[in-house]
mmCIF file of all heavy atoms in Angstrom:
data_model
loop_
_atom_site.group_PDB
_atom_site.id
_atom_site.type_symbol
_atom_site.label_atom_id
_atom_site.label_comp_id
_atom_site.label_asym_id
_atom_site.label_seq_id
_atom_site.Cartn_x
_atom_site.Cartn_y
_atom_site.Cartn_z
ATOM 1 N N GLY W 118 -5.174 -13.401 1.183
ATOM 2 C CA GLY W 118 -3.910 -13.016 0.478
ATOM 3 C C GLY W 118 -3.170 -14.160 0.013
ATOM 4 O O GLY W 118 -3.588 -15.366 0.098
ATOM 5 N N ALA W 132 10.085 -10.497 16.325
ATOM 6 C CA ALA W 132 10.938 -10.896 17.473
ATOM 7 C C ALA W 132 10.970 -9.758 18.469
ATOM 8 O O ALA W 132 11.312 -8.565 18.112
ATOM 9 C CB ALA W 132 12.313 -11.285 17.034
ATOM 10 N N ASN W 146 -22.426 -0.479 39.801
ATOM 11 C CA ASN W 146 -23.338 0.070 40.882
ATOM 12 C C ASN W 146 -24.769 -0.477 40.552
ATOM 13 O O ASN W 146 -24.917 -1.303 39.612
ATOM 14 C CB ASN W 146 -23.401 1.553 40.868
ATOM 15 C CG ASN W 146 -23.709 2.147 39.539
ATOM 16 O OD1 ASN W 146 -24.591 1.823 38.849
ATOM 17 N ND2 ASN W 146 -22.952 3.252 39.142
ATOM 18 N N LEU W 178 -5.959 7.829 8.538
ATOM 19 C CA LEU W 178 -6.860 7.667 7.393
ATOM 20 C C LEU W 178 -8.077 8.574 7.552
ATOM 21 O O LEU W 178 -8.583 9.152 6.503
ATOM 22 C CB LEU W 178 -7.381 6.183 7.403
ATOM 23 C CG LEU W 178 -6.183 5.149 7.166
ATOM 24 C CD1 LEU W 178 -6.732 3.752 7.560
ATOM 25 C CD2 LEU W 178 -5.831 5.138 5.657
ATOM 26 N N LEU W 216 2.904 6.706 31.780
ATOM 27 C CA LEU W 216 3.891 7.739 32.185
ATOM 28 C C LEU W 216 4.576 7.351 33.458
ATOM 29 O O LEU W 216 5.788 7.361 33.628
ATOM 30 C CB LEU W 216 3.307 9.122 32.364
ATOM 31 C CG LEU W 216 4.230 10.248 32.932
ATOM 32 C CD1 LEU W 216 5.481 10.421 31.999
ATOM 33 C CD2 LEU W 216 3.418 11.524 33.097
ATOM 34 N N VAL W 236 2.308 7.276 23.793
ATOM 35 C CA VAL W 236 1.449 6.966 22.772
ATOM 36 C C VAL W 236 0.238 6.170 23.168
ATOM 37 O O VAL W 236 0.439 5.112 23.667
ATOM 38 C CB VAL W 236 2.241 6.260 21.592
ATOM 39 C CG1 VAL W 236 1.294 5.936 20.426
ATOM 40 C CG2 VAL W 236 3.407 7.153 21.039
ATOM 41 N N SER W 301 17.671 -15.600 0.721
ATOM 42 C CA SER W 301 17.741 -16.132 1.978
ATOM 43 C C SER W 301 17.312 -15.151 3.094
ATOM 44 O O SER W 301 17.361 -15.497 4.357
ATOM 45 C CB SER W 301 19.073 -16.597 2.372
ATOM 46 O OG SER W 301 20.043 -15.508 2.286
ATOM 47 N N ARG W 360 5.076 4.915 4.206
ATOM 48 C CA ARG W 360 4.600 4.350 2.971
ATOM 49 C C ARG W 360 4.015 2.914 3.194
ATOM 50 O O ARG W 360 2.985 2.623 2.608
ATOM 51 C CB ARG W 360 5.733 4.331 1.876
ATOM 52 C CG ARG W 360 6.304 5.604 1.496
ATOM 53 C CD ARG W 360 7.265 5.412 0.292
ATOM 54 N NE ARG W 360 6.478 5.091 -0.903
ATOM 55 C CZ ARG W 360 6.988 4.343 -1.945
ATOM 56 N NH1 ARG W 360 8.217 3.819 -1.883
ATOM 57 N NH2 ARG W 360 6.207 4.173 -3.009
ATOM 58 N N ASP W 410 13.413 1.104 -4.574
ATOM 59 C CA ASP W 410 12.969 0.468 -5.762
ATOM 60 C C ASP W 410 13.139 -1.059 -5.752
ATOM 61 O O ASP W 410 12.895 -1.635 -6.830
ATOM 62 C CB ASP W 410 13.594 1.130 -6.996
ATOM 63 C CG ASP W 410 15.185 0.943 -7.038
ATOM 64 O OD1 ASP W 410 15.672 0.508 -5.937
ATOM 65 O OD2 ASP W 410 15.787 1.278 -7.931
ATOM 66 N N MET W 414 9.875 -4.057 -1.425
ATOM 67 C CA MET W 414 9.010 -3.027 -0.896
ATOM 68 C C MET W 414 7.571 -3.333 -1.269
ATOM 69 O O MET W 414 6.643 -3.184 -0.488
ATOM 70 C CB MET W 414 9.453 -1.704 -1.479
ATOM 71 C CG MET W 414 10.711 -1.079 -0.868
ATOM 72 S SD MET W 414 10.653 -0.763 0.912
ATOM 73 C CE MET W 414 9.495 0.575 0.933
ATOM 74 N N GLY W 441 -23.371 -5.848 28.227
ATOM 75 C CA GLY W 441 -22.732 -4.755 28.966
ATOM 76 C C GLY W 441 -23.744 -3.864 29.654
ATOM 77 O O GLY W 441 -24.727 -4.407 30.182
#
Side-chain angles (χ1 to χ4, degrees):
N146 56 43
L178 295 163
L216 173 61
V236 176
S301 61
R360 297 191 70 207
D410 59 353
M414 288 296 292

